[in-house]
Structures are given as C-alpha cells and as structure tokens.
Amino acid sequence: MDRKSLEALLDDMSIEEKVMQLVQIPGSEYLAEAEITGIERGRVEENVKKLAGSTLGIWGSKNLREIQDRYIKEHPHHIPLMFMLDVIHGHKTVFPCPLGQGASFDPERTKKGATVQAREAAADGVHVTFSPMSDLCRDARWGRIMESTGEDKYLNSLMASAMVEGYQGDDLTDPEHLAACVKHFAAYGAAEGGRDYNNTELSEHTLREHYLRAYGEAIKKDPAMVMTSFNSVNGIPATGNQFLMRKILREEFGFKGVLISDWGAVGELINHGFAEDKKDAAYRAMMAGVDIDMCSGCYSEQLEELVETGAVSMKMLDEAVLRVLNMKNDLGLFEDPYRGIVSDAGPVITEESRRLAREAVAASLVLLENNDKTLPLGKGKTSFIGPYADTKKLQSSWAFSGEDDNTVTVWEAAKEVYEPDSIKVAAGCTMLDQDAMTARGIRHTDQWQEENDRLLAEAVQTAEWADTVVLCLGEDFAQSGEAASKASLKLPAVQLKLLKEIKKTGKRIVTLIFTGRPLELDEVKELSDALMICWLPGTEGGHGVMDVVSGKISPSGRLPVSFPYTVGQEPLHYDMYPTGRPKPASGPSEFTSRYLDCENGALYPFGYGLSYTSFEYGEPKLSASEMTSEDTLTASVSIRNTGDVPGDVTVQMYIRDVCASRVRPVRELAGFRKIHLNPGEEKAVSFVIKEEMLRFWTAEEKWASEPGRFNVWLCDGSTKGRALEFSLK
Ligand code: NOJ
C-alpha cells in the first residue's frame, strides 16, 4: 500500500480503532490451548479482541491462518493482525543460547542462524520476533545473562546487528523473514544486585559508552521495532522515560520504527510509584513515545478518553498509529495477511538447518582446562555420567517452540561415534537439589534422597568400569532466563557431590558444563582433568558437543563473560575503570584496591579459551607511533599453529586511552578476527585503528576523542599480551 492510501486509511478510522492498533493482547485470547504463563483468560473484552492491532506468544500455520481470517473479516477496516513471538535462539531448530553464540565470536554464523530462525517462524505464521536482546550484562546473578551475548559492548554490537540482519533480510516483505525487535531499551542488564526487574543507577557516561552501545549499533541496521525495559534508569522507569525514548532513541539514534513496551510495563509504572493510576500510566507512556502497550490494558482502557479530553493530542495518537500501520505495510500484510505460511504442516527442520546448528554448537564451546591432553577423547572405555548426559532439555526457557523430540542428547551422539561396548551412561543424580525450585513452586518428591542414593551408586559402578568419565553437569534450563536471578553461582550441591564421588574412583574426568550463566568453577576445576563450557546448546547439542569431545573439531570458543572465583566479585567485567590504587601484579598490596580473600580478576576472564592445538603470537607491530584524525594506523601480528592439529584462533585487539578528561577502561575490545590455521601454518592479522574508534563521552558531555597516548594489545584474551603504544595528535 502506498503512503497516501495508508494515510487515507488512518483518516477513516475511529478513535477507538486507532487506539486499538496500539494495543497488544496475549495470544491465548485467540488460541485457547496456548499456554502463556501469568495470564488470566477472559480478562480481555470482546471488542478489544476484535480490534487489538497485535498479539504475541502463539504460532502454528493452521491456527494463525484461521485466527487471521476471522479477525480480518470482523475488523471494520480489515486491517490484519500482527503476530509476535519470542524467537530468541531458535524456532524449530534451536541454536545455542545467545550467550553461547557470543562465545563463538562469529557474527556471520549468528546471522545465518537468525536467518534459519526467521524462515521457520515465518512459516509458522509469525511476523515479528522479540530479538535481539542487546542488553549489556556484567552480572552473572542476573538470569537473563543467558539471553545476551555477554559483557562486552563491541561484541554485543556486532552480534545484535547480525541478528537484525539475519531476521529481517534485505526486504521485510520477503515472507521468509521476520521483523526484529531490539530490546530491552535501556540498561535492563544493569539491574541492581543482579535481581531481575530491579532498578538501575548509572552515570550518563557509563550508560552511553557501555550500556547503550549495542542497541545503538543494532538500530543502525533498521530493526522494525524496539522494546522498552522493565527497569527504571536513574529514577525514571524506562517505559515512561522521555530522555531515553524521545531524546536518545528517536532523536539521537534516529529510530523511526515502532516502540513497544515490555509485558505489562505500562501498568507497572504505577508499582514504580511513577504513575498514579492506569490513566496516568497510559499518559506517561504516550508522552515517552511508547507506541504499543504490551498486555497491560492501560491503553485499551484509558487512551481513548485521554485523546478525547485532549490530554494526548490526536497528532500524537496518529503518529503512533501510523508507525504501526507502516510496520504492517512494510511486512506486506495488507497484500498478504497470511505471509510466510506455506502449508498447514508448518516448518520442518531441514538437514541444512541441523548442520548449521551443529556447527554453531561446536563453535560455541569454550575449553577451560585440558591437563595432559585429556581431550580429545581417545578410544578407551568411557562413561558418560550426569544429569546432562542423556537429557533432551538442552535448550533454554526461551526456546519454547522447539520440540524436545528433535533434540540430540550427548549420549545419543556418543553412540554414533564410539563402539557400543566402549561406552556406558548413567544419570548420576537429579539435575537439582531437593529444594532448588521451591521458589517456582516445584518440589522434588519425598523419594528424592533415595533416588539420588541409587543414582550415585550406579554412577560410581559405571565409572569404575571406565578409563575416562565424561561428567555432564550444569544448571537446569529453568535456572536462567527471565525471573531466574540467583544469589549463588555454584553448581547444585547434588551434582558437586557426584563429582567428588567420581573423583574418588581415580578415573580421568572430563567435566562438561551446561549453563546459561557463568558459574563458580574453582572447585570443579580442581577435580577435573578437562573442563569445557557447553552453554545451553539446543537441538544439535549432543552432536556439536561430541564433534569437539571426539576431536573431529578443535574447540575455538572464547568466553563472552567473566567467570568469577566467587559470586562476591559480581558484577564482574574486564573493562573496568582504573582506580587510584591499583593492585600491583606482584608484591605487597596493602592499601590497594583488592579483596582480602580473593583475586580481583576472574577465574576465567573475558576472551579466554583453549584449543587442542597451540598458537604462537609473533611480535605485534604498529605501522607508526602517531596518528591524526585524518589518517589511520595499522596494528598487526602473525600467529602460527605450533601444535599438531588444525584449529581456529580468535585474535583480539584491545585499546586503552591512557589519560583523558574522564577515566577510561583499563582495556576495551576494539576488534577481533577468527582465523583457521593448519599445523605449522602462519598468518598475519591486521587491524586498522581509526580516530572514531577512540571516541568516548568526554567530560564536556559529548562524543570526541582526545589527543594523547593509547595502548594497544593484540592477543588471545583480555588479560594477555604486551602493550604497544601510539599517540593521537
Ligand atoms: C517479557 C520479557 O521481558 C521480554 O523479553 C519478552 O519479549 C516479552 N515478555 C514477551 O514475551
């Protein structure tokens, strides 16, 4: 539809119809069997159901076609309904959770995965995905760290941009693509204490330089939608925050698409103590520029009156409605309201999507320890033990449209690689401690202890038989994600006990950790010969993990988040600001910035990861020792594979502004390149340094670089390498 026709349509709509374009209601209102937690059915009135502009949380080609059909017929202007869904790391084919994708340091791979997700979800009638989550996360206690690509703004920016490109493709009308929604604007990841939905307090420079960065970069890729966050930022809830939404998002970032609230967040302005009642909440959200109210009922109940009394101008309403109509138009919904749907059967998982998912898993694994080349696993007798050894629950709580039946477990994959009489399996223990999920209303049965005694005895026997034990441990998928904050980062006690008992058998132990967040692994490390992080790997989890365990592929993941010694170090991130009393690398440290009982840094820092081969870095070089804003510098280094198997290495470039009008981080990732090297092969890698890469939010409250000295490192991890120096004139 052309712009003129769209405006004519708007002119012809009643105020009620217009308001309802800004109303989103739960999909369970249209599809009785849809399970959407926390929703009371029947709360939404009939006229809202008939007119609401969008819905969320449902999928299925046949059902959505029928719903659309009915809806359009009943709608006075036959405007199609827009279907939205959280397709976070997979629809049918589930890829590694976003944190795992971050570990691959491979945005191109992530883009390909997003393309698959879009194609599958679109074929199931979905139009919009609530992804990418571009929140910066520095706190492992926050359960939603699993949905992010980590603690680094640069890596997150590339990943979020890749996701937008993958979901949306070149043209939104292409029925194999989805509209993307960058969320949660803003600074949701900075929730105090790592407690979900909590407030955030951030200086403007930290907000701008770190927390806003990935949203801003992703918005440059033109996502159709942005979602507000639940939290307040410096005292103003994001969903009513005019500075964030009007000034930064619209004015500075130039975002022209639709702004949607998070679930119920408009109504929550009342709980925040920022709005008196629902009317006030609707008013404040409109003033901040929130176009769609996701499920709070404030717009559907209050907005019409606010417009009729003139509190909200017709112009403001029209602008918001036009943005929503535009989005429907960009998706081609006026021409084809059933876009994407090809058959009643919906999408099928193809060999190609499985292959991509499998490779994505292998690329995401981070090898932390490998004493005496314990991995890859040889041909001896191996027992796969632990609650993750043979479970299909390998996807996160946000991959609810993926089906367990399609998932390949570690044990199933192991059987494809090793002779049947050389491997055994045992669960070893339950996934969770007895009371672990009481906060979610789930309790284990009274037989929990008996069951665990039995599982342990069986596991010890299975271990005794083997030469090597592959222990598959980790957090349950429900322990990360929304509303899954934790004050402890230890493995469940029942799993630690299993590890200790297996250790007593004296067998070689390879520990695989499945998790959506960094965990405290100091003790686990001591008890293991090899240790590898497998994240929540998804549909092809078993295959991808076994490809690496068996040595078919050498591990190449690098940590996208710091793994602490102890939870007491959180929030923990490598790119901290320096202090006036830095702890010296060695020697006495009294009266310096340190802990009495723990290291300052991470047990496993950002950027860290091992391979089955070894790499030697040559002397890094700079093309000159000075640069100006008109020219550039080149930093280069050559890397050689000095081991005996091929492998990928992620060369990382970090920069520090040594002295500036505002303190600058001790290091910031400014570039990385993943390269493949055969044994004995050497390649040179170079990075161009431009003035714009050196800009920050200065003491004069503007983006600029300042002349002076800079350090640069070319290395394999945020704590490694030797600093070179150059100056900006
Ligand atoms: C709440 C979550 O915070 C958000 O990420 C999600 O997209 C919406 N619910 C819709 O499910």
Side-chain angles (χ1 to χ4, degrees), residues 71-114:
Y71 176 93
I72 293 180
K73 277 186 194 136
E74 291 187 359
H75 192 280
H77 281 92
H78 313 295
I79 299 174
L81 180 63
M82 196 152 47
F83 294 103
M84 308 194 184
L85 185 69
D86 289 280
V87 184
I88 306 299
H89 58 112
H91 183 60
K92 293 295 166 203
T93 312
V94 180
F95 287 74
C97 68
L99 197 56
Q101 292 187 40
S104 74
F105 275 68
D106 193 344
E108 209 33 55
R109 187 185 291 287
T110 283
K111 181 173 164 182
K112 282 188 194 146

CSV table of all heavy atoms in Angstrom, one decimal, residues 71-114:
chain,number,residue,atom,x,y,z
A,71,TYR,N,-10.3,-12.7,12.1
A,71,TYR,CA,-10.0,-11.3,12.6
A,71,TYR,C,-10.3,-10.3,11.5
A,71,TYR,O,-11.0,-9.3,11.7
A,71,TYR,CB,-8.6,-11.2,13.1
A,71,TYR,CG,-8.2,-9.8,13.6
A,71,TYR,CD1,-8.3,-9.4,14.9
A,71,TYR,CD2,-7.6,-8.9,12.6
A,71,TYR,CE1,-7.9,-8.2,15.3
A,71,TYR,CE2,-7.3,-7.6,13.0
A,71,TYR,CZ,-7.4,-7.3,14.4
A,71,TYR,OH,-7.0,-6.0,14.7
A,72,ILE,N,-9.7,-10.5,10.3
A,72,ILE,CA,-9.8,-9.6,9.2
A,72,ILE,C,-11.3,-9.4,8.9
A,72,ILE,O,-11.7,-8.3,8.6
A,72,ILE,CB,-9.0,-10.0,8.0
A,72,ILE,CG1,-7.5,-10.0,8.4
A,72,ILE,CG2,-9.3,-9.1,6.8
A,72,ILE,CD1,-6.6,-10.4,7.2
A,73,LYS,N,-12.0,-10.5,8.9
A,73,LYS,CA,-13.4,-10.4,8.5
A,73,LYS,C,-14.2,-9.5,9.4
A,73,LYS,O,-15.0,-8.7,9.0
A,73,LYS,CB,-14.1,-11.8,8.5
A,73,LYS,CG,-13.8,-12.5,7.2
A,73,LYS,CD,-14.5,-13.8,7.1
A,73,LYS,CE,-14.0,-14.6,6.0
A,73,LYS,NZ,-13.8,-16.0,6.4
A,74,GLU,N,-13.8,-9.6,10.7
A,74,GLU,CA,-14.6,-8.8,11.7
A,74,GLU,C,-14.1,-7.4,11.9
A,74,GLU,O,-14.8,-6.5,12.4
A,74,GLU,CB,-14.5,-9.5,13.1
A,74,GLU,CG,-15.3,-10.8,13.0
A,74,GLU,CD,-15.4,-11.5,14.4
A,74,GLU,OE1,-14.8,-10.9,15.4
A,74,GLU,OE2,-16.1,-12.5,14.5
A,75,HIS,N,-12.9,-7.1,11.4
A,75,HIS,CA,-12.3,-5.8,11.6
A,75,HIS,C,-13.0,-4.8,10.7
A,75,HIS,O,-13.1,-5.1,9.5
A,75,HIS,CB,-10.8,-5.8,11.4
A,75,HIS,CG,-10.1,-4.5,11.9
A,75,HIS,ND1,-10.2,-3.4,11.1
A,75,HIS,CD2,-9.5,-4.2,13.0
A,75,HIS,CE1,-9.5,-2.4,11.8
A,75,HIS,NE2,-9.1,-2.9,13.0
A,76,PRO,N,-13.4,-3.6,11.2
A,76,PRO,CA,-14.2,-2.7,10.4
A,76,PRO,C,-13.4,-2.3,9.1
A,76,PRO,O,-14.0,-2.0,8.1
A,76,PRO,CB,-14.4,-1.5,11.3
A,76,PRO,CG,-13.9,-1.8,12.6
A,76,PRO,CD,-13.3,-3.2,12.6
A,77,HIS,N,-12.0,-2.2,9.2
A,77,HIS,CA,-11.3,-1.8,8.1
A,77,HIS,C,-10.4,-2.9,7.5
A,77,HIS,O,-9.5,-2.7,6.7
A,77,HIS,CB,-10.4,-0.6,8.4
A,77,HIS,CG,-11.1,0.7,8.4
A,77,HIS,ND1,-11.7,1.3,9.5
A,77,HIS,CD2,-11.4,1.6,7.4
A,77,HIS,CE1,-12.3,2.4,9.2
A,77,HIS,NE2,-12.2,2.6,7.9
A,78,HIS,N,-10.7,-4.1,8.0
A,78,HIS,CA,-10.0,-5.3,7.6
A,78,HIS,C,-8.5,-5.2,7.6
A,78,HIS,O,-7.7,-5.6,6.8
A,78,HIS,CB,-10.4,-5.7,6.1
A,78,HIS,CG,-11.9,-5.6,5.9
A,78,HIS,ND1,-12.7,-6.5,6.6
A,78,HIS,CD2,-12.7,-4.8,5.2
A,78,HIS,CE1,-14.0,-6.2,6.3
A,78,HIS,NE2,-14.0,-5.1,5.5
A,79,ILE,N,-8.1,-4.5,8.7
A,79,ILE,CA,-6.6,-4.4,8.9
A,79,ILE,C,-6.1,-5.7,9.5
A,79,ILE,O,-6.6,-6.1,10.5
A,79,ILE,CB,-6.3,-3.2,9.8
A,79,ILE,CG1,-6.8,-1.9,9.2
A,79,ILE,CG2,-4.8,-3.1,10.1
A,79,ILE,CD1,-6.7,-0.7,10.1
A,80,PRO,N,-5.0,-6.3,9.0
A,80,PRO,CA,-4.6,-7.5,9.5
A,80,PRO,C,-4.0,-7.4,11.0
A,80,PRO,O,-3.5,-6.3,11.4
A,80,PRO,CB,-3.5,-8.0,8.6
A,80,PRO,CG,-3.5,-7.0,7.5
A,80,PRO,CD,-4.2,-5.8,7.8
A,81,LEU,N,-4.0,-8.5,11.6
A,81,LEU,CA,-3.5,-8.6,13.0
A,81,LEU,C,-2.0,-9.0,12.8
A,81,LEU,O,-1.6,-9.7,11.9
A,81,LEU,CB,-4.2,-9.8,13.7
A,81,LEU,CG,-3.9,-10.2,15.1
A,81,LEU,CD1,-4.2,-9.1,16.1
A,81,LEU,CD2,-4.7,-11.4,15.5
A,82,MET,N,-1.2,-8.4,13.7
A,82,MET,CA,0.3,-8.7,13.7
A,82,MET,C,0.6,-9.8,14.8
A,82,MET,O,0.3,-9.5,15.9
A,82,MET,CB,1.1,-7.4,13.8
A,82,MET,CG,2.5,-7.5,13.4
A,82,MET,SD,3.2,-5.9,12.8
A,82,MET,CE,2.7,-4.7,14.1
A,83,PHE,N,1.3,-10.9,14.4
A,83,PHE,CA,1.7,-11.9,15.3
A,83,PHE,C,3.1,-11.8,15.7
A,83,PHE,O,4.0,-11.8,14.9
A,83,PHE,CB,1.5,-13.3,14.7
A,83,PHE,CG,0.0,-13.6,14.4
A,83,PHE,CD1,-0.5,-13.5,13.1
A,83,PHE,CD2,-0.9,-14.0,15.4
A,83,PHE,CE1,-1.8,-13.8,12.8
A,83,PHE,CE2,-2.2,-14.3,15.1
A,83,PHE,CZ,-2.7,-14.2,13.8
A,84,MET,N,3.4,-11.7,17.0
A,84,MET,CA,4.7,-11.6,17.5
A,84,MET,C,5.1,-12.7,18.5
A,84,MET,O,4.2,-13.3,19.1
A,84,MET,CB,4.9,-10.2,18.3
A,84,MET,CG,4.4,-9.0,17.5
A,84,MET,SD,4.9,-7.5,18.3
A,84,MET,CE,4.1,-6.3,17.2
A,85,LEU,N,6.4,-13.1,18.5
A,85,LEU,CA,6.8,-14.2,19.3
A,85,LEU,C,8.2,-14.1,19.7
A,85,LEU,O,9.0,-13.5,19.0
A,85,LEU,CB,6.6,-15.5,18.4
A,85,LEU,CG,6.9,-16.8,19.1
A,85,LEU,CD1,5.8,-17.2,20.2
A,85,LEU,CD2,7.0,-18.0,18.1
A,86,ASP,N,8.6,-14.6,20.9
A,86,ASP,CA,10.0,-14.7,21.3
A,86,ASP,C,10.7,-15.8,20.6
A,86,ASP,O,10.7,-16.9,21.1
A,86,ASP,CB,10.1,-14.9,22.8
A,86,ASP,CG,9.6,-13.6,23.6
A,86,ASP,OD1,10.4,-12.7,23.7
A,86,ASP,OD2,8.4,-13.6,24.0
A,87,VAL,N,11.3,-15.5,19.4
A,87,VAL,CA,12.1,-16.5,18.8
A,87,VAL,C,13.5,-16.0,19.1
A,87,VAL,O,14.1,-15.2,18.4
A,87,VAL,CB,11.9,-16.4,17.2
A,87,VAL,CG1,12.7,-17.5,16.5
A,87,VAL,CG2,10.4,-16.6,16.9
A,88,ILE,N,14.1,-16.5,20.2
A,88,ILE,CA,15.3,-15.9,20.7
A,88,ILE,C,16.5,-16.6,20.2
A,88,ILE,O,17.5,-16.0,19.9
A,88,ILE,CB,15.2,-16.0,22.3
A,88,ILE,CG1,13.9,-15.4,22.8
A,88,ILE,CG2,16.5,-15.4,22.9
A,88,ILE,CD1,13.8,-13.9,22.5
A,89,HIS,N,16.5,-18.0,20.2
A,89,HIS,CA,17.7,-18.7,19.6
A,89,HIS,C,17.2,-19.9,18.9
A,89,HIS,O,17.9,-20.9,18.8
A,89,HIS,CB,18.8,-19.0,20.6
A,89,HIS,CG,18.4,-19.8,21.8
A,89,HIS,ND1,18.8,-21.1,22.0
A,89,HIS,CD2,17.6,-19.5,22.9
A,89,HIS,CE1,18.3,-21.6,23.2
A,89,HIS,NE2,17.5,-20.6,23.7
A,90,GLY,N,16.0,-19.8,18.4
A,90,GLY,CA,15.5,-20.9,17.5
A,90,GLY,C,14.0,-21.0,17.6
A,90,GLY,O,13.4,-20.6,18.6
A,91,HIS,N,13.5,-21.5,16.5
A,91,HIS,CA,12.0,-21.8,16.5
A,91,HIS,C,11.8,-23.3,16.5
A,91,HIS,O,11.4,-23.8,17.5
A,91,HIS,CB,11.4,-21.1,15.3
A,91,HIS,CG,9.9,-21.3,15.3
A,91,HIS,ND1,9.1,-20.8,16.2
A,91,HIS,CD2,9.0,-21.9,14.4
A,91,HIS,CE1,7.8,-21.1,16.0
A,91,HIS,NE2,7.8,-21.8,14.9
A,92,LYS,N,12.1,-24.0,15.4
A,92,LYS,CA,12.1,-25.4,15.5
A,92,LYS,C,13.5,-25.9,15.7
A,92,LYS,O,13.7,-26.8,16.5
A,92,LYS,CB,11.5,-26.0,14.1
A,92,LYS,CG,10.0,-25.7,14.0
A,92,LYS,CD,9.2,-26.4,15.1
A,92,LYS,CE,7.8,-25.8,15.1
A,92,LYS,NZ,7.1,-26.0,16.4
A,93,THR,N,14.4,-25.4,14.8
A,93,THR,CA,15.8,-25.8,15.0
A,93,THR,C,16.3,-24.8,16.1
A,93,THR,O,16.4,-23.6,15.8
A,93,THR,CB,16.6,-25.6,13.7
A,93,THR,OG1,15.9,-26.2,12.7
A,93,THR,CG2,18.0,-26.1,13.9
A,94,VAL,N,16.7,-25.3,17.2
A,94,VAL,CA,17.2,-24.4,18.3
A,94,VAL,C,18.7,-24.3,18.3
A,94,VAL,O,19.4,-25.4,18.3
A,94,VAL,CB,16.7,-24.8,19.7
A,94,VAL,CG1,17.2,-23.9,20.7
A,94,VAL,CG2,15.1,-24.9,19.6
A,95,PHE,N,19.2,-23.1,18.1
A,95,PHE,CA,20.7,-22.9,18.1
A,95,PHE,C,21.2,-22.7,19.6
A,95,PHE,O,20.4,-22.6,20.5
A,95,PHE,CB,21.0,-21.6,17.3
A,95,PHE,CG,20.8,-21.9,15.8
A,95,PHE,CD1,19.5,-22.1,15.2
A,95,PHE,CD2,21.9,-22.1,15.0
A,95,PHE,CE1,19.4,-22.3,13.9
A,95,PHE,CE2,21.8,-22.4,13.6
A,95,PHE,CZ,20.5,-22.5,13.1
A,96,PRO,N,22.5,-22.6,19.8
A,96,PRO,CA,22.9,-22.3,21.1
A,96,PRO,C,22.3,-21.0,21.7
A,96,PRO,O,22.0,-20.1,20.9
A,96,PRO,CB,24.5,-22.2,21.0
A,96,PRO,CG,24.8,-22.9,19.7
A,96,PRO,CD,23.6,-22.7,18.8
A,97,CYS,N,22.1,-21.0,23.0
A,97,CYS,CA,21.6,-19.8,23.6
A,97,CYS,C,22.5,-18.6,23.2
A,97,CYS,O,23.7,-18.8,22.9
A,97,CYS,CB,21.4,-19.9,25.1
A,97,CYS,SG,23.0,-20.0,26.0
A,98,PRO,N,21.9,-17.4,23.3
A,98,PRO,CA,22.7,-16.2,22.8
A,98,PRO,C,24.1,-16.1,23.5
A,98,PRO,O,25.1,-15.8,22.8
A,98,PRO,CB,21.8,-15.0,23.2
A,98,PRO,CG,20.4,-15.6,23.0
A,98,PRO,CD,20.5,-17.0,23.5
A,99,LEU,N,24.2,-16.5,24.8
A,99,LEU,CA,25.5,-16.4,25.4
A,99,LEU,C,26.5,-17.3,24.8
A,99,LEU,O,27.6,-17.0,24.6
A,99,LEU,CB,25.3,-16.7,26.9
A,99,LEU,CG,26.5,-16.2,27.8
A,99,LEU,CD1,26.8,-14.7,27.7
A,99,LEU,CD2,26.2,-16.6,29.3
A,100,GLY,N,26.0,-18.5,24.4
A,100,GLY,CA,26.9,-19.4,23.7
A,100,GLY,C,27.2,-18.9,22.3
A,100,GLY,O,28.4,-19.0,21.9
A,101,GLN,N,26.3,-18.2,21.7
A,101,GLN,CA,26.6,-17.6,20.4
A,101,GLN,C,27.7,-16.5,20.5
A,101,GLN,O,28.6,-16.4,19.7
A,101,GLN,CB,25.4,-17.1,19.7
A,101,GLN,CG,24.4,-18.2,19.3
A,101,GLN,CD,23.2,-17.6,18.5
A,101,GLN,OE1,23.4,-16.8,17.6
A,101,GLN,NE2,22.1,-18.2,18.7
A,102,GLY,N,27.6,-15.8,21.6
A,102,GLY,CA,28.6,-14.8,21.9
A,102,GLY,C,30.0,-15.4,22.0
A,102,GLY,O,31.0,-14.9,21.4
A,103,ALA,N,30.0,-16.6,22.6
A,103,ALA,CA,31.3,-17.3,22.7
A,103,ALA,C,32.0,-17.7,21.4
A,103,ALA,O,33.2,-17.9,21.3
A,103,ALA,CB,31.1,-18.6,23.6
A,104,SER,N,31.2,-17.8,20.4
A,104,SER,CA,31.7,-18.2,19.1
A,104,SER,C,32.5,-17.0,18.4
A,104,SER,O,33.3,-17.2,17.5
A,104,SER,CB,30.6,-18.6,18.1
A,104,SER,OG,29.9,-17.5,17.6
A,105,PHE,N,32.3,-15.8,18.9
A,105,PHE,CA,32.9,-14.6,18.3
A,105,PHE,C,32.8,-14.7,16.8
A,105,PHE,O,33.8,-14.4,16.1
A,105,PHE,CB,34.4,-14.5,18.7
A,105,PHE,CG,34.7,-13.9,20.1
A,105,PHE,CD1,34.3,-14.5,21.2
A,105,PHE,CD2,35.3,-12.6,20.2
A,105,PHE,CE1,34.5,-13.9,22.5
A,105,PHE,CE2,35.5,-12.1,21.4
A,105,PHE,CZ,35.1,-12.7,22.6
A,106,ASP,N,31.6,-15.0,16.3
A,106,ASP,CA,31.4,-15.2,14.9
A,106,ASP,C,30.1,-14.6,14.5
A,106,ASP,O,29.1,-15.4,14.3
A,106,ASP,CB,31.5,-16.7,14.6
A,106,ASP,CG,31.7,-16.9,13.1
A,106,ASP,OD1,31.4,-16.0,12.3
A,106,ASP,OD2,32.1,-18.1,12.8
A,107,PRO,N,30.0,-13.3,14.3
A,107,PRO,CA,28.7,-12.7,14.0
A,107,PRO,C,28.1,-13.2,12.7
A,107,PRO,O,26.8,-13.4,12.6
A,107,PRO,CB,29.0,-11.2,13.8
A,107,PRO,CG,30.3,-11.0,14.5
A,107,PRO,CD,31.0,-12.3,14.5
A,108,GLU,N,28.9,-13.6,11.7
A,108,GLU,CA,28.4,-14.1,10.4
A,108,GLU,C,27.6,-15.4,10.7
A,108,GLU,O,26.5,-15.7,10.1
A,108,GLU,CB,29.6,-14.3,9.5
A,108,GLU,CG,29.4,-14.2,8.0
A,108,GLU,CD,28.3,-13.2,7.6
A,108,GLU,OE1,28.3,-12.0,7.9
A,108,GLU,OE2,27.4,-13.6,6.9
A,109,ARG,N,28.1,-16.2,11.6
A,109,ARG,CA,27.5,-17.5,11.9
A,109,ARG,C,26.1,-17.2,12.6
A,109,ARG,O,25.1,-17.9,12.3
A,109,ARG,CB,28.4,-18.3,12.8
A,109,ARG,CG,27.9,-19.7,13.2
A,109,ARG,CD,28.9,-20.3,14.2
A,109,ARG,NE,30.2,-20.6,13.7
A,109,ARG,CZ,30.5,-21.6,12.9
A,109,ARG,NH1,29.6,-22.3,12.4
A,109,ARG,NH2,31.8,-21.8,12.5
A,110,THR,N,26.1,-16.2,13.5
A,110,THR,CA,24.9,-15.9,14.2
A,110,THR,C,23.9,-15.4,13.2
A,110,THR,O,22.7,-15.6,13.3
A,110,THR,CB,25.3,-14.8,15.3
A,110,THR,OG1,25.9,-15.6,16.3
A,110,THR,CG2,24.1,-14.1,15.8
A,111,LYS,N,24.3,-14.6,12.2
A,111,LYS,CA,23.4,-14.1,11.2
A,111,LYS,C,22.7,-15.2,10.4
A,111,LYS,O,21.5,-15.3,10.2
A,111,LYS,CB,24.2,-13.2,10.2
A,111,LYS,CG,23.3,-12.6,9.1
A,111,LYS,CD,24.1,-11.6,8.3
A,111,LYS,CE,23.4,-11.3,7.0
A,111,LYS,NZ,24.2,-10.3,6.2
A,112,LYS,N,23.5,-16.2,10.1
A,112,LYS,CA,23.0,-17.4,9.4
A,112,LYS,C,21.9,-18.1,10.2
A,112,LYS,O,20.9,-18.5,9.7
A,112,LYS,CB,24.1,-18.4,9.0
A,112,LYS,CG,24.9,-18.0,7.8
A,112,LYS,CD,25.9,-19.1,7.4
A,112,LYS,CE,26.9,-18.6,6.5
A,112,LYS,NZ,28.2,-19.2,6.6
A,113,GLY,N,22.3,-18.2,11.5
A,113,GLY,CA,21.3,-18.9,12.4
A,113,GLY,C,20.0,-18.1,12.5
A,113,GLY,O,18.9,-18.7,12.5
A,114,ALA,N,20.1,-16.8,12.6
A,114,ALA,CA,18.9,-15.9,12.7
A,114,ALA,C,18.1,-16.1,11.4
A,114,ALA,O,16.9,-16.0,11.4
A,114,ALA,CB,19.4,-14.5,12.9
